[in-house]
Amino acid sequence: MRPSGRNPEQLREIKFTCGYTKHAEGSVLVEFGDTRVLCTASVETNVPRFLKGKGEGWITAEYGMLPRSTHDRMGREASRGKQGGRTQEIQRLIGRSLRAAVDMKALGENTITIDCDVLQADGGTRTASITGGFVALSLAVQKMLAKKQIKKNPLHGQVASVSVGIFKGVPVLDLDYAEDSNAETDMNVVMNDASAFIEVQGTAEGHAFRKDELDAMLSLAEHGIKQLLEKQAKALENF
Amino acid sequence: MRPSGRNPEQLREIKFTCGYTKHAEGSVLVEFGDTRVLCTASVETNVPRFLKGKGEGWITAEYGMLPRSTHDRMGREASRGKQGGRTQEIQRLIGRSLRAAVDMKALGENTITIDCDVLQADGGTRTASITGGFVALSLAVQKMLAKKQIKKNPLHGQVASVSVGIFKGVPVLDLDYAEDSNAETDMNVVMNDASAFIEVQGTAEGHAFRKDELDAMLSLAEHGIKQLLEKQAKALENF
Amino acid sequence: MRPSGRNPEQLREIKFTCGYTKHAEGSVLVEFGDTRVLCTASVETNVPRFLKGKGEGWITAEYGMLPRSTHDRMGREASRGKQGGRTQEIQRLIGRSLRAAVDMKALGENTITIDCDVLQADGGTRTASITGGFVALSLAVQKMLAKKQIKKNPLHGQVASVSVGIFKGVPVLDLDYAEDSNAETDMNVVMNDASAFIEVQGTAEGHAFRKDELDAMLSLAEHGIKQLLEKQAKALENF
Amino acid sequence: MRPSGRNPEQLREIKFTCGYTKHAEGSVLVEFGDTRVLCTASVETNVPRFLKGKGEGWITAEYGMLPRSTHDRMGREASRGKQGGRTQEIQRLIGRSLRAAVDMKALGENTITIDCDVLQADGGTRTASITGGFVALSLAVQKMLAKKQIKKNPLHGQVASVSVGIFKGVPVLDLDYAEDSNAETDMNVVMNDASAFIEVQGTAEGHAFRKDELDAMLSLAEHGIKQLLEKQAKALENF
Amino acid sequence: MRPSGRNPEQLREIKFTCGYTKHAEGSVLVEFGDTRVLCTASVETNVPRFLKGKGEGWITAEYGMLPRSTHDRMGREASRGKQGGRTQEIQRLIGRSLRAAVDMKALGENTITIDCDVLQADGGTRTASITGGFVALSLAVQKMLAKKQIKKNPLHGQVASVSVGIFKGVPVLDLDYAEDSNAETDMNVVMNDASAFIEVQGTAEGHAFRKDELDAMLSLAEHGIKQLLEKQAKALENF
Amino acid sequence: MRPSGRNPEQLREIKFTCGYTKHAEGSVLVEFGDTRVLCTASVETNVPRFLKGKGEGWITAEYGMLPRSTHDRMGREASRGKQGGRTQEIQRLIGRSLRAAVDMKALGENTITIDCDVLQADGGTRTASITGGFVALSLAVQKMLAKKQIKKNPLHGQVASVSVGIFKGVPVLDLDYAEDSNAETDMNVVMNDASAFIEVQGTAEGHAFRKDELDAMLSLAEHGIKQLLEKQAKALENF
């Protein structure tokens, strides 16, 4: 039934290539099937103005798509002179999601910027960004601990994200572009490793969804995120 | 327990003043307690480029806050030269929510722009904007029908929105600013008059939320939205 | 002869609703007939860079029109990414006019920002903004005196403004939109309570105007401004 | 009494160098003492969208200051990314003033853009721009007539402008920078060759001005503008 | 002598990964040592306005660096709201260089946009972009020929580019970042497969360079570009 | 053969009018035939942030064209809201070229900004800007020495620039617009008074150029620049 031939509860092939680029404190190429996002974590030893002198750190995120990461070429946001609403919405979501895993006191007055740049898009770029962004963040934190920039690990858990939706009347996990562009409902879920929700964003595209559909989607999301959390952990161990 | 003295499942005082301004095809001042939003619906007899010649219409929304609608004065977006990420996120949400109630074929090649301008903010400006925006939209549609610009009512239902959250460990309905700024979880829910979900956006502020908390919040939201739908209907009847 | 049926020397109905919003130190909804402008005064305890350390304060103004305050919807300046020339011209005029009533030494190193947002436009929005802006400023100054932020009242007089013009060959006072858009000459006059001029801006729209026409217009303006000053005083007393 | 040693009713030395640059249809370097403005008139055979198909033309103006035309270097507006409020106000004034001399029907569907670029500033750049702008416009119109682009001269009169003010209590004509920056009142007057007013903009800088002061200033302005109109005519004849 | 241990006339390891992304008509990851640039070619069946109806095509280029492609994180141009001068200079150079290899008549009214996005920077990103850009362009042209969008190959030759410079007094080929940031002179050379120059840009960083130094550098460049042209050809054959 | 009737190795008439404007520390109107550029040098007693506290100065340049300096009117960059790529490229080139003549330590913590504004364009505006910019810079340095703002002359040589190209198959010096727009190759050369190269920028417009053509052009450039250096010196002596 699914264009890719997957079962409704099946993730795409997930791959993390840690250390994909050399300058960033943390970097990973995350792949959810054909969706490929380069996530880097950059550490700076200062904080935004509103936090100065409070002894706390900050996590922020930026998101971009290469102009031809998509089926048709999109105008470059840098040349159009501003980031679109979708971009801003996504980078706010990534930042919020990752901050939920961090003890800002333990981070000290440091800022970590997570850049998520989509090299190739095939649906689910924001969930891949959050999931890969957490890996980049973890790598940067490990480097900070190793260099004794911080004493205590500020990460108090793991965070991952996946999309779910209703496609041809059936709840499915991890939608690719072919599904995403035809789904009746599309939902992005962010959870931690305690099976609790950090963010739930569901949107009816075709028809409004009922509570039982919502429950079915959330259940699929939990199932998928569990696997993503394991794969994150394995990727971090093996690097 | 609530700063306002309300019960957890109690809405603030809700008020619609239809026809608040004279030029717009539809206009309403919506009040959710001290939150006051002026919603206008403007009809134009053309459509965005991507819809030209398809025989369909479009609904779009813009959102703004007057500089001193808030406790401290915010810089004016027009003078800063761009709309912030929060503004764009909200206006995208309003547009998406209202489009869910409209049959675009029946609207014909017309565009209705919903402007939601916050005169005074006290929490819940986006849910008030959606709820009031639907009223403005309905008034404009009535005028179009009366003027025979369209033959058939393109609205196939009602849409309203409310916020819910966990405040001091208790699920509460329709948060005001005092609650909103201290809530552990904040969720905006948009539903139609068939009790189905159009949009669900939940964000963990303090700690991640469990499935049972989510369910409690959604149940409160449904309870609140039912009342809002009735009040919308009454306001439209009485105008 | 006038579309509204008024006599040439007759103002529209003038109304001040003080305390229209709750957050601002001073706020008033001013109405010149169907023209409705929300004026707020916001106090900040600092000054622009060019005044730092001089022991003087500053008054500045910003002006905006809600997108559908006008007959046809105007694009939102925030979304177009800049304030137009007309907006800038008007906000510079409001700021200059109000500064003429203020002893900056007595204000101390405080800045008061007057925001004038047009909810509904029907001609004369800039004169209503100045006239209402003065009321909002006065309310904010009263609050500063009451809270002992300043010792001495920095206002050394009152300021009000009205438009005059030549409509169908006749000098008229306080033009509404129907007149304004057809006037041969349009003039905005700002005066203080000593009957002296703060600003005179006359523009020939149709034909150039003679000295005797100018004199007739200025005489009408003085007549109108006297009434506005009384109404301002009464509104402030009664609040 | 005046820093320059001039009598109160004396203009600075006025000079027009017609044909100062070679590409523009009309060009003149206008000098009011040390204030030097390069005015060019550029003809285009189309009109702005709002005039398309109406058989009428348009006159518009742009104004700029070279970064070091002033005593201290100002930031370049092109590199700051926007034109300031003062610039926009001035260019709107120039355009409005020159349009008052033109029969738009006779101009046909052509646009003439007047660019006024200040090479050196010493007070009165806007009045020099209008006065020189009229000369550039006239030269362009002569060329259009010679090339038979238009049949009838669309100019139905001359336009010139001068500043007046109250300096040390005395009404004076054509303020230079030393006076302008210390004047109590500053007024820019635009008149035509029928001694009628096109624009009057008076601003109280120090104290509000009385009607008799206004009259004295307007009388000085008329005296100065008469001379400017003669000098314009002579410059055009001699070119 | 060179930080990398290379001989003065030695290129870094050069690698082309054709088909690196799937959506673009042509795509290649080009590596000059640790410098990695993703080049994509996107075909559109229209042309910029200035070419409409002339029966000619157009080649244009855009360039960007991912924020953490560099040693320290750079601000994202999209979020700063404009492309910097360096970016614009480079993308103009890439476009000009590639256009030199194309017969615009044979291309027909099609536009090919070459996007060069730096994933990792280690000196020479512009020369890698031109060299990789040509490969992406060739791949897109092959696809157009295969799909019969064009009849004749519009490429009349090959183009490649390399940097040369004076490092510690010695002319060297293909500078990496360690050399580039300390070079006395830096020169980018673009040549075609007829050993002729398309672009020569030499800049004295430390001291001005003599004619004999210029000649030595150009000779090195020719030597390097020959090898790059061979590697391009091989990569295209093997794909 | 040349449209102007000049010999291939002949410069246009070169003219420097020092002290062209009065406010700038250094100012000159430079003319290369009909190309006229106003160059001013402005001294500020501070440095950009990246140089603070290093005891070094800075030279920077800005470039602009008046809207009607060209054959057809160009849009004003200030009103379009950004400087184009060509402008940025040129101002970067001017700054780099002039910095090559300056000992930044001897300049102390001062910044000199060179503004080059094209009053009339006829080809070669960037080479005229560099050549005139050096004169303005020298005048400003003389004033700084005279006022004892600096002790030692920071200029360690002279800098001038000229264009060369291949026009109708013949290498020619100092191209005017008629040649420039039809040249097969266009090269801008910046040299110092030790006959060494500071910048060489050659671009094939029509066909790629051979090494012997490059050599011929460089030889012409050296010949022209020698004369320009002499004329600069004479202009500075005679002022």
Side-chain angles (χ1 to χ4, degrees):
Chain A
M1 186 252 354
R2 302 182 72 172
S4 59
R6 282 186 282 152
N7 294 330
E9 73 287 357
Q10 195 181 339
L11 288 172
R12 287 178 284 182
E13 192 178 348
I14 307 297
K15 205 169 145 193
F16 299 96
T17 309
C18 294
Y20 187 75
T21 61
K22 70 172 186 178
H23 298 302
E25 282 72 27
S27 91
V28 66
L29 182 75
V30 60
E31 299 175 63
F32 276 36
D34 275 349
T35 288
R36 303 211 303 241
V37 184
L38 173 51
C39 304
T40 59
S42 299
V43 179
E44 279 174 295
T45 57
N46 59 24
V47 285
R49 198 179 310 181
F50 69 92
L51 284 177
K52 293 237 188 270
K54 301 203 175 167
E56 291 178 37
W58 190 241
I59 308 290
T60 185
E62 291 195 3
Y63 170 92
M65 298 183 89
L66 293 195
R68 197 55 195 282
S69 59
T70 44
H71 197 270
D72 294 312
R73 185 177 186 275
M74 300 183 318
R76 192 176 284 266
E77 289 187 324
S79 86
R80 272 185 289 158
K82 65 173 177 176
Q83 295 181 304
R86 179 185 169 275
T87 294
Q88 293 198 48
E89 202 169 304
I90 293 176
Q91 61 195 12
R92 283 159 58 89
L93 170 64
I94 301 169
R96 228 160 44 222
S97 297
L98 297 179
R99 281 194 292 276
V102 180
D103 172 354
M104 295 300 175
K105 288 278 179 204
L107 182 55
E109 294 214 351
N110 296 295
T111 297
I112 305 182
T113 302
I114 308 297
D115 285 291
C116 300
D117 284 278
V118 179
L119 303 190
Q120 190 171 276
D122 189 39
T125 63
R126 79 188 72 188
T127 55
S129 293
I130 293 166
T131 307
F134 178 78
V135 173
L137 171 60
S138 300
L139 292 168
V141 161
Q142 285 173 14
K143 189 165 276 184
M144 291 175 88
L145 285 165
K147 292 171 65 180
K148 309 213 188 271
Q149 281 185 274
I150 48 176
K151 287 182 200 159
K152 195 190 136 190
N153 190 337
L155 297 176
H156 52 60
Q158 264 176 266
V159 167
S161 175
V162 80
S163 72
V164 283
I166 312 278
F167 178 71
K168 300 195 176 172
V170 180
V172 293
L173 177 67
D174 188 22
L175 289 74
D176 57 30
Y177 180 75
E179 293 167 328
D180 195 22
S181 50
N182 290 294
E184 292 139 41
T185 289
D186 181 22
M187 179 172 271
N188 295 295
V189 180
V190 186
M191 296 180 82
N192 65 17
D193 54 347
S195 291
F197 297 101
I198 288 167
E199 190 95 20
V200 171
Q201 294 197 344
T203 301
E205 304 282 352
H207 72 272
F209 52 95
R210 296 180 312 271
K211 182 62 168 54
D212 62 299
E213 290 174 319
L214 175 62
D215 288 338
M217 288 189 285
L218 290 176
S219 164
L220 273 182
E222 187 176 354
H223 168 73
I225 285 174
K226 250 181 208 153
Q227 297 170 58
L228 291 170
L229 292 165
E230 279 165 30
K231 285 170 198 284
Q232 282 178 334
K234 207 165 291 175
L236 287 165
E237 273 171 44
N238 294 342
F239 182 60
Chain B
M1 187 252 353
R2 302 181 75 172
S4 59
R6 282 185 283 152
N7 295 330
E9 74 286 357
Q10 195 181 341
L11 290 172
R12 289 177 282 182
E13 193 178 349
I14 307 297
K15 203 168 147 193
F16 298 96
T17 310
C18 293
Y20 187 75
T21 60
K22 71 173 187 176
H23 298 302
E25 282 72 27
S27 91
V28 66
L29 181 76
V30 60
E31 299 175 63
F32 276 36
D34 274 348
T35 288
R36 303 211 302 240
V37 184
L38 172 51
C39 304
T40 59
S42 299
V43 179
E44 279 173 294
T45 57
N46 60 23
V47 286
R49 196 178 312 180
F50 69 91
L51 284 178
K52 292 239 188 268
K54 300 203 176 167
E56 292 178 38
W58 190 242
I59 306 291
T60 186
E62 291 195 3
Y63 170 92
M65 299 183 89
L66 293 195
R68 196 56 195 283
S69 59
T70 44
H71 196 271
D72 295 311
R73 185 176 185 277
M74 300 183 318
R76 190 177 284 267
E77 289 187 323
S79 85
R80 273 185 291 158
K82 65 172 177 176
Q83 294 181 305
R86 179 184 170 276
T87 294
Q88 294 199 48
E89 204 169 304
I90 293 175
Q91 62 196 13
R92 284 159 57 89
L93 170 64
I94 301 169
R96 229 161 41 222
S97 298
L98 296 180
R99 281 193 292 276
V102 180
D103 172 354
M104 294 302 173
K105 287 280 178 202
L107 182 55
E109 294 213 352
N110 296 294
T111 296
I112 305 182
T113 302
I114 308 297
D115 286 289
C116 300
D117 285 276
V118 178
L119 304 189
Q120 190 171 274
D122 189 39
T125 63
R126 80 188 71 188
T127 55
S129 294
I130 293 166
T131 306
F134 178 79
V135 173
L137 171 59
S138 300
L139 293 168
V141 161
Q142 285 173 12
K143 189 166 278 185
M144 291 174 89
L145 285 165
K147 291 171 64 181
K148 309 213 189 269
Q149 281 184 276
I150 47 176
K151 288 180 201 161
K152 195 189 133 189
N153 190 337
L155 297 176
H156 52 60
Q158 262 176 267
V159 167
S161 175
V162 80
S163 72
V164 284
I166 312 279
F167 178 69
K168 299 198 176 170
V170 179
V172 294
L173 177 67
D174 187 21
L175 289 74
D176 58 28
Y177 181 74
E179 292 167 330
D180 194 25
S181 51
N182 290 295
E184 291 139 41
T185 288
D186 181 22
M187 179 172 270
N188 294 295
V189 181
V190 186
M191 295 180 82
N192 64 17
D193 55 349
S195 291
F197 296 101
I198 288 167
E199 190 96 20
V200 171
Q201 294 196 343
T203 301
E205 304 282 351
H207 73 272
F209 53 95
R210 294 181 313 272
K211 181 65 168 51
D212 62 299
E213 291 174 319
L214 175 61
D215 287 339
M217 288 189 285
L218 290 175
S219 164
L220 272 181
E222 187 176 354
H223 168 73
I225 285 174
K226 251 183 209 152
Q227 297 170 59
L228 291 170
L229 293 164
E230 280 165 28
K231 286 171 199 282
Q232 282 177 335
K234 207 165 291 174
L236 287 166
E237 272 170 45
N238 296 340
F239 182 61
Chain C
M1 184 245 4
R2 302 181 74 172
S4 60
R6 282 186 283 150
N7 294 330
E9 74 286 357
Q10 194 180 341
L11 289 172
R12 289 179 281 182
E13 191 178 349
I14 306 296
K15 202 168 147 192
F16 299 96
T17 309
C18 294
Y20 186 75
T21 61
K22 71 172 187 176
H23 298 302
E25 282 73 27
S27 91
V28 65
L29 181 77
V30 60
E31 299 175 63
F32 277 35
D34 275 348
T35 288
R36 305 211 301 241
V37 184
L38 172 51
C39 305
T40 59
S42 298
V43 179
E44 279 174 295
T45 58
N46 60 22
V47 286
R49 196 180 310 181
F50 69 92
L51 283 178
K52 293 239 188 268
K54 299 203 175 168
E56 293 178 36
W58 189 242
I59 306 292
T60 186
E62 290 195 4
Y63 170 92
M65 298 183 90
L66 293 196
R68 197 56 196 281
S69 59
T70 44
H71 197 271
D72 294 312
R73 187 177 184 273
M74 298 184 318
R76 192 177 283 266
E77 289 187 324
S79 86
R80 272 186 291 158
K82 65 173 178 177
Q83 294 180 304
R86 179 184 170 277
T87 294
Q88 293 199 48
E89 203 169 304
I90 293 176
Q91 62 194 13
R92 284 159 58 89
L93 170 64
I94 301 169
R96 229 162 40 225
S97 297
L98 296 180
R99 282 194 291 277
V102 180
D103 173 354
M104 294 301 174
K105 288 279 178 203
L107 182 55
E109 294 214 352
N110 295 295
T111 295
I112 304 182
T113 302
I114 308 298
D115 285 290
C116 300
D117 284 277
V118 179
L119 303 190
Q120 190 171 276
D122 190 38
T125 63
R126 79 188 72 189
T127 55
S129 294
I130 293 167
T131 306
F134 177 79
V135 172
L137 172 60
S138 299
L139 292 168
V141 161
Q142 285 172 14
K143 189 165 278 185
M144 291 175 87
L145 285 165
K147 291 171 64 181
K148 308 211 188 275
Q149 282 184 275
I150 47 176
K151 287 181 202 162
K152 196 189 134 190
N153 190 338
L155 297 176
H156 52 60
Q158 263 176 267
V159 167
S161 175
V162 80
S163 72
V164 284
I166 312 278
F167 178 69
K168 299 197 176 171
V170 179
V172 294
L173 177 67
D174 188 21
L175 290 73
D176 57 29
Y177 180 75
E179 293 167 329
D180 195 23
S181 51
N182 291 294
E184 291 140 41
T185 288
D186 181 22
M187 180 171 269
N188 294 295
V189 181
V190 186
M191 296 180 81
N192 64 16
D193 54 349
S195 292
F197 297 101
I198 288 168
E199 190 95 21
V200 171
Q201 294 196 345
T203 300
E205 304 283 350
H207 72 271
F209 52 95
R210 296 180 313 272
K211 181 64 167 54
D212 62 300
E213 291 175 318
L214 175 62
D215 288 338
M217 289 190 285
L218 291 175
S219 164
L220 273 182
E222 187 175 354
H223 168 73
I225 285 174
K226 250 182 208 153
Q227 298 170 60
L228 291 170
L229 293 165
E230 279 166 28
K231 286 171 198 283
Q232 283 178 334
K234 207 164 292 175
L236 287 165
E237 272 171 43
N238 295 342
F239 182 62
Chain D
M1 187 249 357
R2 302 181 73 172
S4 60
R6 283 185 282 151
N7 294 330
E9 74 286 357
Q10 195 180 341
L11 290 172
R12 289 177 282 182
E13 192 178 348
I14 305 298
K15 204 168 145 192
F16 299 95
T17 309
C18 294
Y20 187 75
T21 60
K22 70 172 186 176
H23 297 302
E25 283 71 27
S27 92
V28 65
L29 182 76
V30 60
E31 300 175 62
F32 277 36
D34 275 349
T35 288
R36 303 210 304 241
V37 184
L38 173 51
C39 304
T40 59
S42 299
V43 179
E44 279 174 294
T45 56
N46 59 23
V47 286
R49 197 179 311 181
F50 68 93
L51 284 178
K52 293 240 188 266
K54 301 204 176 165
E56 291 179 37
W58 189 241
I59 307 290
T60 186
E62 291 195 3
Y63 170 93
M65 299 184 89
L66 294 195
R68 196 57 194 282
S69 59
T70 44
H71 197 270
D72 295 312
R73 185 176 185 276
M74 299 183 318
R76 191 177 285 267
E77 289 187 325
S79 86
R80 273 185 289 158
K82 65 174 177 176
Q83 294 181 303
R86 178 184 170 276
T87 293
Q88 294 198 48
E89 203 169 304
I90 293 176
Q91 61 195 13
R92 284 159 57 89
L93 170 64
I94 301 169
R96 227 159 45 220
S97 298
L98 296 180
R99 280 194 292 276
V102 179
D103 172 353
M104 294 301 173
K105 288 278 179 202
L107 182 55
E109 294 213 353
N110 296 294
T111 296
I112 305 182
T113 303
I114 308 297
D115 286 289
C116 300
D117 284 277
V118 179
L119 304 189
Q120 190 171 275
D122 189 40
T125 63
R126 80 187 71 188
T127 55
S129 294
I130 293 166
T131 307
F134 178 78
V135 172
L137 172 60
S138 300
L139 292 169
V141 161
Q142 286 173 13
K143 189 165 279 185
M144 291 174 87
L145 286 165
K147 291 171 64 181
K148 308 210 187 277
Q149 281 184 276
I150 46 176
K151 286 182 199 161
K152 194 189 135 191
N153 191 337
L155 297 175
H156 53 58
Q158 263 176 266
V159 167
S161 174
V162 79
S163 72
V164 284
I166 311 278
F167 178 70
K168 300 197 176 171
V170 179
V172 294
L173 177 67
D174 188 21
L175 289 74
D176 57 29
Y177 180 74
E179 293 167 329
D180 194 24
S181 51
N182 291 294
E184 291 141 41
T185 289
D186 181 23
M187 179 172 270
N188 295 295
V189 181
V190 185
M191 296 180 82
N192 64 17
D193 54 348
S195 291
F197 296 101
I198 288 167
E199 190 95 21
V200 171
Q201 293 197 344
T203 301
E205 304 282 351
H207 72 273
F209 52 96
R210 296 181 312 271
K211 182 63 168 53
D212 61 301
E213 290 175 319
L214 175 62
D215 287 339
M217 289 189 285
L218 290 175
S219 164
L220 272 182
E222 187 177 354
H223 167 74
I225 284 173
K226 252 183 206 151
Q227 297 170 59
L228 291 170
L229 293 165
E230 280 166 28
K231 285 171 199 285
Q232 283 178 334
K234 207 165 291 175
L236 286 166
E237 273 170 45
N238 295 341
F239 182 60
Chain E
M1 185 251 353
R2 301 180 75 171
S4 60
R6 282 185 285 151
N7 294 331
E9 74 287 357
Q10 196 181 341
L11 290 172
R12 288 178 281 182
E13 192 177 346
I14 306 298
K15 205 168 145 191
F16 299 95
T17 310
C18 293
Y20 187 75
T21 60
K22 71 173 186 178
H23 298 302
E25 281 73 27
S27 91
V28 65
L29 181 76
V30 60
E31 299 176 63
F32 278 35
D34 275 349
T35 288
R36 302 209 306 239
V37 184
L38 172 50
C39 305
T40 59
S42 299
V43 179
E44 281 173 293
T45 57
N46 60 23
V47 286
R49 197 180 311 180
F50 68 93
L51 283 177
K52 291 241 190 268
K54 300 203 174 166
E56 292 179 38
W58 189 243
I59 307 291
T60 186
E62 291 195 4
Y63 170 93
M65 299 184 89
L66 294 195
R68 197 53 194 282
S69 59
T70 45
H71 197 271
D72 295 312
R73 186 177 185 276
M74 299 183 318
R76 191 177 284 266
E77 289 187 325
S79 85
R80 273 186 289 157
K82 65 173 177 176
Q83 294 181 303
R86 179 185 169 275
T87 293
Q88 294 199 47
E89 202 169 305
I90 293 175
Q91 62 195 14
R92 284 159 57 90
L93 171 63
I94 301 169
R96 226 158 46 220
S97 298
L98 296 179
R99 281 193 292 276
V102 179
D103 172 354
M104 294 301 175
K105 288 279 180 202
L107 183 54
E109 294 213 353
N110 296 294
T111 296
I112 305 181
T113 302
I114 308 298
D115 285 289
C116 300
D117 284 277
V118 179
L119 303 190
Q120 189 170 276
D122 189 39
T125 62
R126 79 187 72 187
T127 56
S129 293
I130 293 166
T131 306
F134 178 79
V135 173
L137 172 60
S138 300
L139 293 168
V141 161
Q142 285 173 13
K143 189 165 279 184
M144 291 175 88
L145 285 165
K147 292 170 64 182
K148 307 212 189 275
Q149 282 183 274
I150 47 176
K151 287 182 200 159
K152 195 189 136 191
N153 190 337
L155 297 175
H156 53 59
Q158 264 175 267
V159 167
S161 174
V162 80
S163 71
V164 283
I166 312 278
F167 178 69
K168 299 197 176 171
V170 179
V172 294
L173 177 66
D174 188 21
L175 289 74
D176 58 28
Y177 180 74
E179 293 167 329
D180 195 23
S181 51
N182 291 293
E184 291 139 42
T185 288
D186 181 22
M187 179 171 269
N188 293 296
V189 181
V190 186
M191 296 181 80
N192 64 17
D193 55 347
S195 292
F197 297 102
I198 287 167
E199 190 97 21
V200 171
Q201 294 197 344
T203 300
E205 304 283 351
H207 72 273
F209 52 95
R210 295 180 313 271
K211 182 60 167 58
D212 62 299
E213 290 175 317
L214 175 62
D215 287 340
M217 289 189 286
L218 291 176
S219 164
L220 273 182
E222 187 177 354
H223 168 73
I225 286 174
K226 253 183 206 149
Q227 297 171 58
L228 291 171
L229 293 164
E230 280 166 27
K231 285 170 199 284
Q232 284 178 332
K234 208 164 291 176
L236 287 165
E237 273 171 42
N238 295 342
F239 183 60
Chain F
M1 186 252 350
R2 302 181 74 172
S4 59
R6 282 184 285 152
N7 294 330
E9 73 287 357
Q10 195 181 340
L11 289 172
R12 287 177 282 181
E13 193 177 345
I14 307 297
K15 204 167 147 193
F16 298 96
T17 309
C18 294
Y20 187 75
T21 60
K22 71 173 187 177
H23 298 302
E25 282 73 25
S27 92
V28 64
L29 181 77
V30 59
E31 300 175 62
F32 277 37
D34 275 349
T35 289
R36 304 210 304 240
V37 184
L38 173 51
C39 304
T40 59
S42 299
V43 179
E44 279 173 295
T45 57
N46 59 23
V47 286
R49 196 180 310 181
F50 69 91
L51 284 178
K52 293 242 189 264
K54 299 204 176 166
E56 292 178 38
W58 189 242
I59 306 291
T60 186
E62 290 195 4
Y63 170 92
M65 299 183 88
L66 294 195
R68 196 54 194 282
S69 58
T70 44
H71 197 271
D72 294 311
R73 186 177 185 275
M74 299 182 320
R76 193 176 283 266
E77 289 187 326
S79 84
R80 273 184 291 157
K82 65 173 177 177
Q83 295 181 303
R86 178 184 170 276
T87 293
Q88 294 199 47
E89 203 169 303
I90 293 176
Q91 62 195 14
R92 284 159 58 90
L93 170 64
I94 301 169
R96 226 158 47 220
S97 298
L98 296 180
R99 281 193 292 276
V102 180
D103 173 354
M104 294 300 174
K105 287 279 178 202
L107 182 55
E109 293 213 353
N110 295 294
T111 296
I112 305 183
T113 301
I114 308 298
D115 285 290
C116 300
D117 284 277
V118 178
L119 303 190
Q120 188 169 278
D122 189 39
T125 62
R126 78 188 73 188
T127 56
S129 293
I130 293 166
T131 306
F134 178 79
V135 172
L137 172 60
S138 300
L139 292 168
V141 161
Q142 285 173 13
K143 190 165 277 184
M144 291 175 87
L145 285 165
K147 291 171 64 180
K148 307 216 190 270
Q149 280 184 276
I150 48 176
K151 287 182 200 160
K152 196 189 134 190
N153 190 336
L155 297 175
H156 53 59
Q158 264 175 267
V159 166
S161 175
V162 80
S163 72
V164 283
I166 311 278
F167 178 70
K168 299 196 176 170
V170 180
V172 293
L173 177 67
D174 188 20
L175 289 74
D176 57 28
Y177 180 74
E179 293 167 329
D180 195 23
S181 50
N182 291 293
E184 292 140 41
T185 289
D186 180 22
M187 179 171 270
N188 294 295
V189 181
V190 185
M191 296 180 81
N192 64 17
D193 54 349
S195 292
F197 297 101
I198 287 168
E199 190 96 21
V200 171
Q201 293 197 344
T203 300
E205 304 282 352
H207 72 272
F209 53 93
R210 296 180 313 270
K211 181 64 168 54
D212 62 299
E213 290 174 318
L214 175 62
D215 288 338
M217 288 189 286
L218 290 176
S219 164
L220 273 182
E222 187 176 354
H223 168 73
I225 286 175
K226 253 185 205 149
Q227 297 171 58
L228 291 171
L229 293 164
E230 279 166 28
K231 284 170 200 284
Q232 283 178 333
K234 207 164 291 176
L236 287 165
E237 273 171 42
N238 294 342
F239 183 61

